[in-house]
């Protein structure tokens, strides 16, 4: 079978690596891909938002299955376009991808179906927002409604800060049309956990838990990023929490989407926070996380392609997911200055030291070949170094040791990925 993956980051690299393990996959393509993915798949220079070109390519090359990794094309309706063209595709349709594409929609859904989440008000103008702030307690959280590369969330300590935030989001339109509507939300405290799941419209199967590190600097300081590292499983995700989430969050979300006439097929990523009042949903994503995929997929023993096919065919109830007992930890190597301002185009050395290793792997996030055929940095997040080991502590030591084998001019990383393990 021929498989096309859509996206160009570490997440798509992890999807490609998992897909390549299926013996029936004779050819992998990735659009647009990157220099690391190129070792597993033929990279096709078509952008993820060029739906018609991607559909034409899929027809011409008789693609049997398309897996969409990224959020933008999903929210933009790529799955609908492919389905209309008769191409088999894994991911939510536009009317279901709204679960991530509109935070206002997801909050209203949770309220309607009694799924635990922070108290909130949706506002549609700056005036309305200022009025809500008059009656609010601080800190408070402002969220641009639409997709904003994970940056459209502002935590405001004071009313003045919040008013400045409203101006940024709704008047200056820092995040563009994503800020036409805004969610004003109660500030919650607690440990955050990511849980990824497969969904076939009615059945949900959760993958392993993971823990992201969103801030750029050590000790959770600095601006929010797409994620600087991750580990799986999270030791804080207990059986009791799992039971609660199954009853109150996971299946109710899938049922709610079906009841709304928006059956969800694809991956739901639950961003959870463990508050004193129990687990609550911080956000939904309609896709694998990046770098969550880089720690969860290497631990998955069940064949990815089989699960994906079962989701598309609505028979996920026949599948039980299996994971290795090994823990995985990944450290993102970024360009110094990310996520604000950074240089790229620097040659990367040491990648070959990972050749042939199963328990240490470098996923490429932002890399490309330069005109001389060298692999160079090509983004804010450049690589995700992942190690597997029997315990999280060992995986952490191994991953950090492995990062020393990679060199590029402005290499930057956090040194405390997995620090929470020690507080257990
Ligand atoms: P989101 O994109 O909604 O996941 O928000 C990004 C990050 O902002 C989350 O991972 C949290 O760290 C933080 N955050 C979002 N909503 C809240 C909230 N209601 N209370 C506290 N922190 C939040
Ligand atoms: N690492 C968080 C995300 O993919 O949204």
């Amino acid at each position: 079978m021929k498989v096309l993956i859509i996206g160009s980051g570490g997440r798509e690299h992890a999807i490609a690596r998992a897909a390549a393990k299926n013996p029936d996959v004779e050819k992998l393509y990735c659009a647009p891909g990157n220099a690391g993915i190129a070792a597993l798949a033929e990279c096709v220079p078509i952008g993820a938002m060029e739906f018609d070109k991607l559909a034409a390519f899929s027809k011409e090359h008789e693609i049997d299955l398309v897996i969409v990794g990224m959020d933008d094309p999903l929210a933009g309706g790529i799955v609908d376009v492919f389905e209309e063209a008769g191409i088999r595709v894994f991911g939510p349709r536009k009317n279901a991808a709204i679960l991530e594409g509109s935070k206002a929609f997801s909050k209203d859904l949770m309220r309607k179906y009694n799924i635990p989440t922070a108290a909130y008000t949706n506002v549609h103008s700056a005036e309305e927002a200022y009025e809500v702030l008059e009656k609010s307690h601080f800190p408070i959280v402002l969220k641009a409604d639409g997709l904003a590369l994970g940056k459209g969330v502002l935590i405001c300590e004071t009313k003045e800060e919040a008013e400045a935030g409203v101006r940024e989001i709704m008047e200056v339109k820092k995040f563009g049309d994503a800020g036409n509507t805004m969610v004003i939300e109660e500030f919650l405290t607690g440990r955050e956990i990511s849980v990824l799941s497969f969904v076939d419209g009615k059945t949900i199967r959760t993958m392993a838990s993971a823990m992201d590190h969103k801030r750029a600097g050590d000790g959770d300081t600095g601006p929010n990023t797409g994620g600087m590292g991750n580990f799986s499983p999270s030791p804080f995700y207990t059986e009791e929490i799992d039971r609660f989430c199954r009853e109150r969050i996971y299946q109710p979300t899938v049922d709610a989407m079906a009841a709304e006439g928006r059956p969800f097929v694809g991956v739901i990523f639950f961003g959870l926070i463990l508050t004193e009042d129990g687990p609550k949903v911080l956000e939904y994503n309609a896709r694998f996380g990046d770098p969550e995929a880089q720690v969860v997929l290497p631990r998955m023993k069940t064949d990815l392609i089989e699960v994906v096919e079962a989701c598309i065919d609505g028979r996920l109830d026949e599948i039980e997911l299996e994971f290795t007992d090994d823990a995985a930890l990944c450290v993102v190597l970024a360009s110094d200055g990310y996520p604000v301002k950074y240089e790229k185009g620097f040659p990367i050395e040491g990648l070959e030291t990972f050749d042939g290793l199963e328990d240490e792997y470098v996923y490429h996030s932002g890399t490309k070949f330069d005109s001389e055929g060298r692999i160079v940095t090509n983004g804010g997040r450049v690589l995700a170094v992942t190690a597997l080991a029997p315990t999280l502590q060992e995986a952490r030591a191994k991953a950090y040791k492995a990062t020393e084998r990679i060199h590029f001019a402005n290499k930057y990383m956090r040194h405390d990925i997995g620090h929470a393990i020690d507080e257990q």
Side-chain angles (χ1 to χ4, degrees):
M1 100 193 268
K2 295 179 191 162
V3 179
L4 168 66
I5 297 163
I6 296 184
S8 61
R11 163 183 49 214
E12 287 74 26
H13 194 169
I15 293 171
R17 186 171 176 230
K21 289 191 177 148
N22 181 301
D24 293 334
V25 174
E26 76 211 58
K27 178 85 185 173
L28 263 182
Y29 295 96
C30 188
N34 64 37
I37 296 173
L40 300 164
E42 184 177 328
C43 293
V44 185
I46 306 178
M49 296 305 286
E50 298 182 280
F51 300 170
D52 292 335
K53 280 193 192 167
L54 290 169
F57 175 88
S58 303
K59 283 280 189 201
E60 192 186 326
H61 291 80
E62 299 175 325
I63 300 295
D64 300 294
L65 173 66
V66 179
I67 302 177
V68 186
M70 289 171 75
D71 45 358
D72 283 331
L74 290 169
I78 192 170
V79 169
D80 307 61
V81 171
F82 277 41
E83 282 183 349
E84 272 161 38
I87 301 160
R88 201 166 155 79
V89 56
F90 176 68
R93 291 181 189 148
K94 186 173 183 169
N95 74 352
I98 192 175
L99 190 62
E100 171 172 9
S102 167
K103 288 184 191 285
F105 169 88
S106 74
K107 294 298 290 190
D108 287 347
L109 185 87
M110 288 187 268
R111 176 142 71 192
K112 182 169 173 188
Y113 292 91
N114 200 19
I115 296 166
T117 189
Y120 75 101
T121 311
N122 291 337
V123 295
H124 306 282
S125 71
E127 293 70 44
E128 226 186 307
Y130 295 130
E131 264 172 47
V132 173
L133 292 181
E134 286 300 325
K135 293 172 269 164
S136 299
H137 299 285
F138 297 86
I140 201 149
V141 185
L142 306 182
K143 299 185 172 183
D145 176 51
L147 296 178
L149 293 169
K151 292 172 195 155
V153 175
L154 302 181
I155 294 170
C156 306
E157 299 293 334
T158 62
K159 192 167 146 211
E160 291 65 39
E161 241 182 75
E163 285 172 346
V166 173
R167 270 193 293 284
E168 246 181 43
I169 295 178
M170 302 202 86
E171 293 182 18
V172 180
K173 290 275 163 78
K174 186 170 174 195
F175 308 108
D177 287 345
N180 290 348
T181 295
M182 199 179 74
V183 180
I184 303 184
E185 185 174 284
E186 167 198 14
F187 176 76
L188 300 176
T189 49
R191 209 176 272 291
E192 288 182 43
I193 292 183
S194 313
V195 174
L196 305 186
S197 66
F198 290 104
V199 182
D200 74 353
K202 45 188 195 299
T203 301
I204 178 162
R205 290 279 185 266
T206 49
M207 293 175 245
S209 60
M211 187 167 166
D212 204 359
H213 298 67
K214 283 202 165 80
R215 309 288 288 271
D218 284 352
D220 292 325
T221 54
N224 260 325
T225 70
M228 293 299 294
N230 215 308
F231 61 81
S232 173
S234 167
F236 307 103
Y237 190 74
T238 61
E239 273 181 30
E240 191 191 340
I241 292 169
D242 184 58
R243 212 174 310 122
F244 178 91
C245 293
R246 277 174 203 286
E247 256 171 49
R248 296 290 314 280
I249 296 175
Y250 305 149
Q251 192 65 49
T253 299
V254 175
D255 294 345
M257 290 298 281
E260 293 291 308
R262 301 170 182 275
F264 192 104
V265 177
V267 170
I268 300 183
F269 165 143
F270 296 86
L272 305 173
I273 185 162
L274 308 180
T275 74
E276 278 186 352
D277 303 326
K280 294 189 181 183
V281 178
L282 276 185
E283 66 159 346
Y284 293 115
N285 295 314
R287 49 165 176 86
F288 284 104
D290 186 339
E292 282 78 2
Q294 292 94 306
V295 289
V296 170
L297 288 178
R299 297 186 56 232
M300 193 163 91
K301 288 202 268 186
T302 318
D303 185 89
L304 174 66
I305 298 292
E306 273 178 35
V307 186
V308 162
E309 300 260 34
C311 287
I312 297 173
D313 296 335
R315 45 175 184 79
L316 186 60
D317 58 337
E318 295 169 11
I319 301 239
E320 290 303 331
L321 298 181
E322 273 190 89
F323 286 82
T324 64
D325 291 332
D326 275 356
L329 186 136
C330 122
V331 179
V332 169
L333 304 184
S335 303
D336 196 14
Y338 170 74
V340 182
K341 191 165 180 280
Y342 50 86
E343 288 177 69
K344 49 194 194 182
F346 298 113
I348 305 171
E349 279 161 31
L351 292 168
E352 72 291 346
T353 63
F354 290 80
D355 289 351
L357 301 179
E358 274 297 314
D359 55 348
E360 290 176 17
Y361 198 84
V362 187
Y363 295 99
H364 291 227
S365 304
T367 66
K368 67 169 190 181
F369 291 105
D370 71 0
S371 54
E372 293 163 47
R374 295 177 305 180
I375 296 182
V376 298
T377 64
N378 190 38
R381 292 191 291 178
V382 177
L383 301 165
V385 177
T386 298
L388 284 156
T391 67
L392 278 168
Q393 282 82 356
E394 287 166 275
R396 177 173 60 186
K398 206 156 135 184
Y400 271 108
K401 195 125 193 54
T403 63
E404 293 169 12
R405 306 207 302 267
I406 299 218
H407 307 279
F408 53 90
N410 58 347
K411 174 175 142 184
Y412 171 82
M413 65 183 161
R414 275 184 63 163
H415 292 88
D416 62 349
I417 303 301
H419 60 101
I421 305 165
D422 304 325
E423 297 161 23
Q424 218 187 320

